[in-house]
């Protein structure tokens, strides 16, 4: 459970002023935080964000320079995937608390190096899996115990077209995005699966690209079977090849219950028992409206000394699952 806290005592910095950054900026502002510095390699984005949100923040195009020159309590990392881990390491080395967008890392080497940095630092690291803070997902977690799950099914059918991938050079690349639909769009579903069912023992999966040949070098579609042990599994399907975004569906079956999440609505044995807030979302509808809840909880944990629920060790579980999924190619891979 979380509570909204005022964070006026905190000095905040933002690295990366792309599509996701407004959710972080607006959440920090609404909670009373002071954004003292902002950084992006594109100077025009820095100036625009400072003006649009009336931040009065110091402007940087070099994040290391910003970390060295500013007195910062928390830095938010909203950059392309491949930069999350090295940027977090630099902040942690200076004992600056880090809240990073997902994913935590894009390969084993990044994950190992980041774990070392976390172990050496006095600061905290949190990961943005904001969907865990939705009312329907919290209710689901309350009523479904991992050991009771007999089987589960995840289905994500969204659209990410040529224009989306061409809008930013890092998208659709193995070296910078780290993958396609699984590491970017379906990672929240993967995280919710792990959160509810626990870590799978192994995965057998195939990843392929049918709709964006010549446009991206990563998968647009993934099919995976996660073995939970004791004759239990999760069937996981995700694709960006649709022409529209359908509500995400996750279904969990126990001996007594069938719990189904359809978008933000939770049904248990056919009865609707939770739904999303009627709160406007900034950006894509699929991002949800729970960034503010997660950010408030992270700051509360820093101030109170309480453990943050999605720290490095929790956030790395999902990365380990997806890296095993990518390496499968039809073979069973232990996780």
């Amino acid at each position: 459970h979380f509570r909204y806290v005022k964070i006026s005592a905190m000095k905040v910095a933002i690295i990366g002023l792309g599509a996701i950054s407004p959710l972080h900026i607006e959440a920090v502002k609404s909670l009373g935080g002071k954004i003292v510095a902002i950084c992006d390699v594109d100077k025009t984005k820095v100036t625009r964000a400072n003006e649009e949100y009336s931040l009065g923040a110091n402007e940087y195009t070099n994040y290391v320079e910003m970390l060295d020159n500013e007195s910062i309590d928390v830095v938010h990392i909203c950059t392309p995937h491949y930069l999350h881990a090295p940027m977090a390491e630099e902040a942690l080395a200076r004992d600056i608390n880090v809240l990073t967008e997902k994913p935590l890392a894009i390969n084993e080497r990044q994950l190992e190096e980041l774990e070392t940095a976390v172990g050496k630092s006095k600061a905290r690291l949190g990961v943005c899996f904001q969907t865990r803070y939705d009312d329907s997902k919290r209710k689901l977690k309350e009523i479904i115990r991992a050991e009771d799950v007999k089987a589960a099914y995840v289905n994500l059918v969204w659209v990410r077209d040529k224009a989306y991938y061409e809008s930013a050079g890092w998208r659709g690349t193995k070296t910078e995005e780290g993958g396609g639909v699984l590491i970017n769009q379906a990672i929240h579903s993967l995280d919710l699966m792990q959160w509810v069912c626990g870590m799978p023992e192994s995965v057998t999966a195939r990843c392929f690209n049918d709709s964006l040949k010549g446009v991206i070098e990563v998968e647009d579609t993934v099919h995976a079977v996660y073995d939970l042990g004791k004759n239990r599994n999760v069937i996981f399907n995700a694709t960006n090849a649709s022409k529209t975004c359908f509500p995400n569906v996750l279904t969990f079956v126990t001996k007594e219950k069938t719990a189904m999440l359809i978008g933000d609505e939770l049904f248990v044995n056919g009865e609707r028992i939770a739904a999303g807030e009627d709160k406007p979302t900034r950006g894509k509808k699929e991002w949800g409206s729970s960034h503010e809840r997660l950010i408030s909880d992270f700051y509360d944990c820093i101030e109170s000394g309480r453990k943050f629920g999605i720290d490095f060790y929790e956030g790395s579980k999902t990365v380990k699952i997806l890296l095993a999924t990518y390496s499968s190619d039809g073979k069973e891979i232990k996780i």
Side-chain angles (χ1 to χ4, degrees), residues 108 182 201-205 226 318-329 331-335:
E108 291 283 358
L182 185 63
E201 294 181 0
S202 66
V203 58
T204 305
Y226 295 102
T318 304
V319 178
K320 288 172 182 173
I321 296 170
L322 71 85
L323 291 178
T325 307
Y326 280 142
S327 66
S328 171
D329 194 26
K331 300 183 293 292
E332 184 181 12
I333 300 292
K334 297 293 180 191
I335 298 174

Side-chain angles (χ1 to χ4, degrees), residues 275-315:
E277 291 184 289
D278 291 329
K279 190 174 178 183
T281 55
R282 172 75 185 241
K284 293 188 182 77
K285 183 176 184 292
E286 300 89 59
W287 291 345
S289 57
S290 294
H291 264 83
E292 189 174 323
R293 288 179 170 187
L294 181 146
I295 290 167
S296 177
D297 193 33
F298 182 66
Y299 281 83
D300 188 34
C301 287
I302 292 170
E303 290 192 329
S304 68
R306 179 168 55 86
K307 184 181 184 296
F308 182 62
I310 319 173
D311 60 6
F312 169 84
Y313 301 99
E314 184 65 19

Side-chain angles (χ1 to χ4, degrees), residues 165-185:
Y165 284 104
E166 290 180 346
S167 68
W170 64 277
R171 289 179 175 151
T173 65
K174 190 66 182 171
T175 54
E176 297 189 352
E177 188 171 17
V181 65
L182 185 63
I183 201 170
N184 199 332
Q185 290 76 37

Side-chain angles (χ1 to χ4, degrees), residues 149-154 193 196-197 226 228 232-236 250-253:
V149 174
K150 291 166 60 181
Y153 172 59
V154 178
M193 177 195 84
V196 176
C197 297
Y226 295 102
L228 298 173
R232 306 173 308 135
N233 69 8
V234 181
I235 306 300
F236 191 102
L250 295 90
T251 306
F252 303 87
V253 176

Side-chain angles (χ1 to χ4, degrees), residues 218-248:
V218 294
E219 85 286 354
D220 69 355
T221 302
V222 58
H223 168 71
V225 179
Y226 295 102
D227 185 354
L228 298 173
K230 298 179 181 174
N231 197 32
R232 306 173 308 135
N233 69 8
V234 181
I235 306 300
F236 191 102
N237 292 311
T239 185
N240 276 338
S242 177
K243 296 302 181 187
T244 190
C245 286
F246 289 89
N248 204 3

Side-chain angles (χ1 to χ4, degrees), residues 93-215:
R94 293 160 176 78
D95 291 327
I96 297 169
N97 298 294
V98 176
L99 185 61
T100 178
E101 270 295 333
K102 51 74 184 170
L104 197 52
I106 66 166
N107 54 47
E108 291 283 358
R109 179 184 55 79
Q110 281 195 346
L111 207 56
E112 287 168 9
E113 290 175 357
L114 186 53
E115 184 171 10
T116 300
V118 167
K120 290 179 178 176
S121 182
K122 296 190 186 87
R124 306 280 201 98
L125 172 70
V127 188
C128 268
F129 281 124
Q130 74 278 0
T131 53
R132 290 194 186 194
Y133 287 77
D134 295 349
D135 291 338
S136 54
K137 279 73 167 185
R138 289 164 67 226
K139 190 71 178 172
L140 171 71
K141 176 70 172 167
E142 280 176 24
I143 62 175
I144 300 290
R145 297 190 314 165
E147 59 268 29
D148 294 337
V149 174
K150 291 166 60 181
Y153 172 59
V154 178
N155 196 34
L156 179 140
V157 180
W158 285 0
V159 56
R160 293 294 185 270
D161 57 13
K162 185 180 179 186
Y164 167 81
Y165 284 104
E166 290 180 346
S167 68
W170 64 277
R171 289 179 175 151
T173 65
K174 190 66 182 171
T175 54
E176 297 189 352
E177 188 171 17
V181 65
L182 185 63
I183 201 170
N184 199 332
Q185 290 76 37
I187 192 170
H188 290 290
S189 298
L190 203 63
D191 180 65
L192 290 171
M193 177 195 84
Q194 184 279 126
W195 191 42
V196 176
C197 297
M199 281 292 279
E201 294 181 0
S202 66
V203 58
T204 305
R206 291 191 185 276
C207 300
F208 43 92
N209 172 21
D210 285 341
S211 70
L212 292 160
K213 287 185 173 72
V215 178

